[in-house]
Amino acid sequence: MGCCHYHPVGEGCDTAFTVDTSRITFGRGCLAEVGDRARALGMKRVALFSDERLARLPHFQKVRQSLSAAGLEVAAYTDVHVEPTDRSFLEAARFASEARPDGYISLGGGSVIDTCKAANLYATYPADFLAYVNAPVGEGRPVPGPLKPHIACPTTSGTGSEVTGITIFDLLSMAAKTGIASPALRPTEALIDPDCTATLPAEVVAASGLDVLSHALESYTARPYVRRPAPPRPSLRPMSQGANPWSDLGCREALRLMGLYLERGVADAEDHEAREQLMWASTLAGIAFGNAGVHAPHGMAYAVAGLVRDFQPSGYPEGEPLVPHGMAVIVNAPAVFRYTAEVSPERHLEAAQWLGADVRGATPGDAGEVLAGKLIQIMRAVGIPNGLGGVGYTEADVAALTEGAYPQQRLLQNAPREMTRPILTDLFRQALRYW
């Protein structure tokens, strides 16, 4: 659908959209380019962010060797927390302040890339921690200026953090996730090497893949940009603009690839075609939601991850409770899309069809159930727990989950239907069990 035939513009709403992304290099073996890329950006002393597990894998050594071969000095930080917190962000920022790099390299999943973004921010523009955190949790203060160059090298096919200006963490005092959103946080470049996913456990591929799937679904069904109030100044146009013709392109293709390759990529680590296609879908969905924004499933997920008690998924580091981000998102999704389908049933049916659902004979009134049914089928096929109950929550937790999700207004206001406290409560209750 072309720009000139999108949606009618609402009164007082925006008439334009902005497209931003990192410079992207995609392909097998491109991780070895990092040294030359860093030197071309003027880096001489780099901070290399990763985690303890990755630091023992060949990918880490490949990056270090490439940087050394380019004549760059490297200060490595491998203490990234698997699910970052405000405390772990501050520790990383302290390292960056002391290391005094002129550029940053991140090698890892979303946790590593997000930690690197935060370290770059707080080392460059020191402030009270909540200064830059999204309102109403924090002040939502604008980032004062450009950050140092950052090359992001993702090792999972999921978060899309390598192409977005968003960083997510657990705020320990609230027992909920929140984040910082600014175009300044977007990495300068992204080196996306599908070879990095070859050693990922099936459980990680499933959770990260479902994060991709929900990025695309949420962006495609978000409130259209022409229904969002126009900003006071063009420079204040938010990154979460709502669905737009550019983001729609990435969403459609990402959903199609998810329908074709997610189950294959989970089932067989040797299926290199499937894992490469999942990496490409992650890139497409990352660019899409980086310019359109996600909505309720992600907003609800922050509470699901933040309030976890004792759930420990296989395939992830042991030792502390954890609901992986993609899992925390997808357990809410069927309930949410049953609710939002009323606003744009045609988009919900299209999405279901791209994922592989048979929509022949489906009416607009069937859209929510058709899409929810397809999501549940995929969840079961790749081993995702049965809703919130499967990750340890009960009816007694619904009130706390609601209170944890409601402050995520940056996300909830991007939803196509109103997300009040009573509605969130009802959606969490519906998400307790699906089969």
Side-chain angles (χ1 to χ4, degrees):
M1 187 177 294
C3 295
C4 296
H5 301 90
Y6 198 63
H7 294 275
V9 179
E11 184 177 354
C13 292
D14 213 341
T15 59
F17 61 94
T18 299
V19 178
D20 283 320
T21 189
S22 309
R23 180 182 184 182
I24 294 167
T25 300
F26 184 97
R28 294 191 178 279
C30 72
L31 194 61
E33 298 182 13
V34 66
D36 185 60
R37 296 287 187 183
R39 185 170 56 187
L41 288 171
M43 298 186 199
K44 296 180 180 177
R45 176 173 169 79
V46 304
L48 171 58
F49 278 70
S50 195
D51 60 40
E52 290 182 347
R53 183 187 62 83
L54 269 165
R56 297 190 294 269
L57 295 179
H59 311 311
F60 186 82
Q61 295 308 316
K62 180 182 290 188
V63 168
R64 288 209 68 146
Q65 289 167 7
S66 180
L67 294 170
S68 297
L72 305 181
E73 186 179 355
V74 179
Y77 184 82
T78 59
D79 293 330
V80 170
H81 202 272
V82 174
E83 289 289 327
T85 66
D86 50 338
R87 186 178 303 151
S88 71
F89 271 9
L90 287 171
E91 291 171 356
R94 188 176 304 113
F95 165 84
S97 297
E98 294 172 356
R100 295 182 176 276
D102 54 20
Y104 292 79
I105 310 293
S106 56
L107 175 71
S111 296
V112 171
I113 298 172
D114 283 4
T115 298
C116 190
K117 291 176 182 177
N120 192 356
L121 170 61
Y122 287 98
T124 307
Y125 302 109
D128 290 338
F129 184 76
L130 290 177
Y132 304 118
V133 174
N134 298 328
V137 176
E139 297 177 37
R141 188 186 304 176
V143 175
L147 303 182
K148 291 182 170 62
H150 172 194
I151 301 176
C153 307
T155 58
T156 62
S157 49
T159 69
S161 183
E162 68 275 7
V163 293
T164 74
I166 303 166
T167 182
I168 303 300
F169 64 95
D170 282 315
L171 185 61
L172 295 175
S173 62
M174 285 185 60
K177 284 186 180 290
T178 185
I180 305 168
S182 169
L185 290 174
R186 184 178 283 110
T188 316
E189 294 197 24
L191 295 179
I192 305 169
D193 187 340
D195 285 342
C196 291
T197 67
T199 57
L200 288 178
E203 296 88 350
V204 175
V205 176
S208 59
L210 287 167
D211 191 22
V212 173
L213 189 156
S214 210
H215 286 157
L217 267 180
E218 292 175 55
S219 296
Y220 194 66
T221 58
R223 180 175 55 164
Y225 77 99
V226 289
R227 303 293 170 80
R228 178 183 47 75
R233 302 194 310 274
S235 60
L236 296 179
R237 181 175 290 127
M239 291 187 300
S240 294
Q241 301 166 87
N244 59 75
W246 176 261
S247 64
D248 286 354
L249 293 173
C251 293
R252 292 187 188 109
E253 180 64 2
L255 289 168
R256 187 185 73 84
L257 293 174
M258 284 289 116
L260 290 173
Y261 295 106
L262 179 57
E263 292 181 32
R264 281 175 50 180
V266 171
D268 184 4
E270 297 299 317
D271 190 337
H272 301 302
E273 178 190 21
R275 293 211 169 179
E276 181 168 352
Q277 292 299 320
L278 293 179
M279 198 74 156
W280 181 233
S282 175
T283 302
L284 293 172
I287 297 170
F289 94 83
N291 289 281
V294 289
H295 58 82
H298 268 75
M300 295 165 70
Y302 293 165
V304 174
L307 293 169
V308 61
R309 285 190 292 269
D310 54 14
F311 182 74
Q312 295 191 23
S314 59
Y316 287 83
E318 299 178 358
E320 60 182 283
L322 168 70
V323 181
H325 175 63
M327 187 181 294
V329 170
I330 204 66
V331 293
N332 307 302
V336 170
F337 290 113
R338 281 175 175 142
Y339 169 68
T340 58
E342 178 182 307
V343 175
S344 55
E346 72 289 341
R347 285 194 164 230
H348 288 66
L349 283 173
E350 288 168 357
Q353 185 173 24
W354 291 323
L355 289 171
D358 183 354
V359 300
R360 290 173 297 181
T363 68
D366 299 326
E369 197 55 50
V370 170
L371 180 54
K374 184 59 184 178
L375 292 176
I376 292 167
Q377 177 188 334
I378 294 171
M379 289 167 65
R380 299 186 74 169
V382 299
I384 294 296
N386 186 1
L388 293 171
V391 297
Y393 292 103
T394 69
E395 175 74 29
D397 299 307
V398 167
L401 289 167
T402 299
E403 291 307 307
Y406 190 71
Q408 312 302 330
Q409 290 297 310
R410 180 181 66 86
L411 306 179
L412 298 180
Q413 290 179 10
N414 207 36
R417 293 189 72 181
E418 188 178 29
M419 292 290 169
T420 63
R421 278 189 173 89
I423 289 170
L424 287 170
T425 295
D426 187 50
L427 292 176
F428 276 125
R429 190 170 285 121
Q430 291 180 41
L432 284 170
R433 186 178 182 88
Y434 293 117
W435 64 82

